[in-house]
Amino acid sequence: AQSVSQHNHHVILSEAASLELGCNYSYGGTVNLFWYVQYPGQHLQLLLKYFSGDPLVKGIKGFEAEFIKSKFSFNLRKPSVQWSDTAEYFCAVKASGGYQKVTFGIGTKLQVIP
Amino acid sequence: GAVVSQHPSWVICKSGTSVKIECRSLDFQATTMFWYRQFPKQSLMLMATSNEGSKATYEQGVEKDKFLINHASLTLSTLTVTSAHPEDSSFYICSAPTGTSVYEQYFGPGTRLTVT
């Protein structure tokens, strides 16, 4: 079974600071990887996903993530955060192929201070 | 984009009673829906996969007799918490994949259940 760990549970940054949220997964086979975001009072939304190809994935709102297979990692980055990025971020993994379940990390609460 | 709704958004019930939560795909058909629960400061835990026209698939440790799932149509799945207890208080979220892309899951807004 797959599992996901997110190392930073609560991150506080000032606007314009750079962001990197760590995500590591464990699974013996090929995986699909995701980052979801939940803004205060809103639904979970897909931020970006990796299925195959270029390990550097670009998502919405200037976010990107890099899949490093040798490290089982899929860290989320943004060069300059804004106050509107305040949200909870979830890393998720699923075994590739078909209707496989998605396993979520515990989430990282990001607070951006103006 | 695809929209998934849940009803009710919050519910308070007495211990021992049953509560039904609805999950609807509003502008697309979903042969599969997923039910999650989320405890405070914890991640989403998949409870079960709801399949239209067949039995749900439950995750290990989830009591199928307690959490009854019915997926009677291509746009509606229901989760009934039977004989609810305070420890069932949680945030229940459903999601539905669109089309053939199972990874394009759209999440409902969630239902906050409080059992007193």
Side-chain angles (χ1 to χ4, degrees), chain A residues 34 36 38 43-44 46 49 51 88 90 94 98-102 104-107, chain B residues 4 31-32 36 38 41-44 46 59 97 99 102-105 107-109:
Chain A
F34 312 86
Y36 285 87
Q38 188 169 28
H43 308 185
L44 270 172
L46 182 66
K49 62 184 184 283
F51 269 64
E88 189 151 18
F90 295 90
K94 70 179 272 290
Y99 266 25
Q100 304 287 343
K101 70 175 184 179
V102 177
F104 286 83
I106 198 168
Chain B
V4 174
T31 55
T32 297
Y36 297 85
Q38 185 179 29
K41 299 184 181 180
Q42 293 189 31
S43 187
L44 284 78
L46 181 66
E59 295 298 300
V102 67
Y103 52 88
E104 294 289 358
Q105 286 197 46
F107 287 83

Side-chain angles (χ1 to χ4, degrees), chain A residues 11-17 81-83 86 110-114:
Chain A
V11 173
I12 302 173
L13 293 173
S14 298
E15 273 193 316
V81 294
Q82 300 172 318
W83 176 79
T86 295
L110 172 65
Q111 186 178 355
V112 180
I113 301 170

Side-chain angles (χ1 to χ4, degrees), chain A residues 17-81:
Chain A
S18 65
L19 170 73
E20 180 159 4
L21 301 182
C23 173
N24 286 91
Y25 70 93
S26 72
Y27 183 69
T30 307
V31 295
N32 306 138
L33 296 157
F34 312 86
W35 276 97
Y36 285 87
V37 60
Q38 188 169 28
Y39 297 103
Q42 295 190 27
H43 308 185
L44 270 172
Q45 301 172 43
L46 182 66
L47 200 55
L48 48 78
K49 62 184 184 283
Y50 171 80
F51 269 64
S52 63
D54 189 344
L56 184 62
V57 178
K58 295 192 184 298
I60 60 172
K61 304 186 180 184
F63 286 91
E64 65 178 32
E66 185 174 14
F67 170 48
I68 303 179
K69 191 175 181 180
S70 61
K71 294 185 178 180
F72 297 89
S73 70
F74 190 55
N75 292 356
L76 180 71
R77 299 193 295 248
K78 184 170 183 178
S80 175
V81 294

